[in-house]
Amino acid sequence: MDYEHLLLERRGAIAILTINRPERLNAMSWDGWLELGRAAIEVSRDEECRVLLLTGAGRGFCAGADLIAPQKTPPPERFPPYAFLSVLVTSAKPTIAAINGVALGGGLALALLCDIRIASERARLAALWIRRGANADFACTYLLPHIIGPPRALEMMYTGDVIGAQEALELGLVNRVVPHEELMPTALALAEKLAKGPPLALGYTKRLAYQATAPRLLGHMTLEGELEQLCLASEDYQEGVRSFLEKRTPVFRGR
């Protein structure tokens, strides 16, 4: 299948999915998120593929939602299109995020949906929805507390502060940090190692690891989407978007 916002290539039993909007630091419109969900489902159903490696083109992994891109598909009223990305957790195939640059908002959550995260030393991560007057979504409110604990996760989501690769490593947010030029060789070497493993045993191991997470994930993402609609309808969200476009500090009024 051909994609507008993505590149999907195969290297033996490894599928490499690259978000390909480098001019926007791989920020995605609703159409892009839908496309990414379709690509993830395609890979999950590919019997020849054993491992998915996800990365971004250029200087960014994914800068989250693109607030200025034309939207062919309107934002959802209830069921968020990114909920299809839950397949990254529910699929039996191991998934690796190679975080080559900024992973912000939905981009951070996309990395969290992967089993293993390897970061370039240039990586920068933030749960910055709060800066736009919105609640965190893309399963971030579920996965981030699960991975690094509620206090640190809430601090990240409350402040929207950007953290560097080394701090992310110390928090347990990423598995390892490598020099930038070694990122893809390192991620590919791990993907090749996993691709040579026993698929059934790997799939069962993943299923057991996520046994408490996977059944609740889709419902949680749907709730996030419902609450997000309340935020999107608020004056605070409109102020958050305007301040971003005008490059100024927002003034939120709680309505």
Side-chain angles (χ1 to χ4, degrees):
M1 185 182 296
D2 293 329
Y3 295 102
E4 180 182 353
H5 305 88
L6 311 168
L7 298 174
L8 179 58
E9 65 172 301
R10 285 282 299 276
R11 295 193 189 181
I14 301 168
I16 303 174
L17 185 57
T18 304
I19 304 174
N20 190 35
R21 300 190 74 228
E23 72 283 358
R24 297 290 299 151
L25 290 176
N26 299 316
M28 298 282 267
S29 66
W30 289 118
D31 305 286
W33 293 119
L34 282 167
E35 192 174 85
L36 187 55
R38 288 195 296 270
I41 291 171
E42 178 187 348
V43 172
S44 74
R45 294 174 176 172
D46 184 348
E47 295 181 358
E48 300 299 318
C49 172
R50 293 191 175 186
V51 179
L52 171 61
L53 175 57
L54 181 62
T55 192
R59 297 182 296 111
F61 176 74
C62 176
D66 191 333
L67 298 178
I68 64 174
Q71 307 284 344
K72 298 177 185 177
T73 304
E77 293 184 0
R78 182 177 176 85
F79 189 75
Y82 51 79
F84 293 111
L85 292 171
S86 62
V87 72
L88 294 172
V89 170
T90 58
S91 168
K93 303 179 193 302
T95 55
I96 301 170
I99 308 172
N100 54 303
V102 294
L104 310 176
L108 169 64
L110 182 59
L112 298 181
L113 284 161
C114 294
D115 304 329
I116 297 170
R117 289 165 291 282
I118 301 175
S120 157
E121 61 192 351
R122 300 178 188 175
R124 299 292 181 269
L125 304 92
L128 48 60
W129 291 269
I130 203 75
R131 297 189 182 184
R132 310 290 173 254
N135 61 282
D137 56 15
F138 283 67
C140 187
T141 57
Y142 190 97
L143 294 170
L144 192 60
H146 179 74
I147 292 169
I148 67 173
R152 289 175 173 177
L154 286 168
E155 182 178 354
M156 285 187 68
M157 291 187 286
Y158 284 167
T159 65
D161 289 345
V162 178
I163 65 172
Q166 192 58 42
E167 184 174 355
L169 179 64
E170 293 168 359
L171 287 172
L173 193 51
V174 299
N175 294 66
R176 68 186 85 166
V177 175
V178 297
H180 186 72
E181 62 276 7
E182 295 179 15
L183 176 64
M184 286 306 292
T186 301
L188 280 167
L190 177 58
E192 289 168 357
K193 182 177 183 178
L194 297 182
K196 294 175 182 176
L200 286 177
L202 285 169
Y204 293 154
T205 298
K206 179 171 178 175
R207 179 180 175 183
L208 289 165
Y210 285 119
Q211 61 145 343
T213 300
R216 302 175 184 173
L217 187 60
L218 192 57
H220 189 92
M221 294 175 87
T222 301
L223 176 60
E224 281 183 331
E226 292 173 351
L227 296 178
E228 181 181 42
Q229 292 310 304
L230 298 178
C231 282
L232 294 181
S234 71
E235 293 180 18
D236 276 353
Y237 178 74
Q238 299 305 318
E239 167 63 8
V241 173
R242 281 196 302 270
S243 64
F244 170 74
L245 298 176
E246 295 169 5
K247 299 181 179 180
R248 61 174 173 82
T249 301
V251 179
F252 297 124
R253 304 186 183 279
R255 56 178 185 262

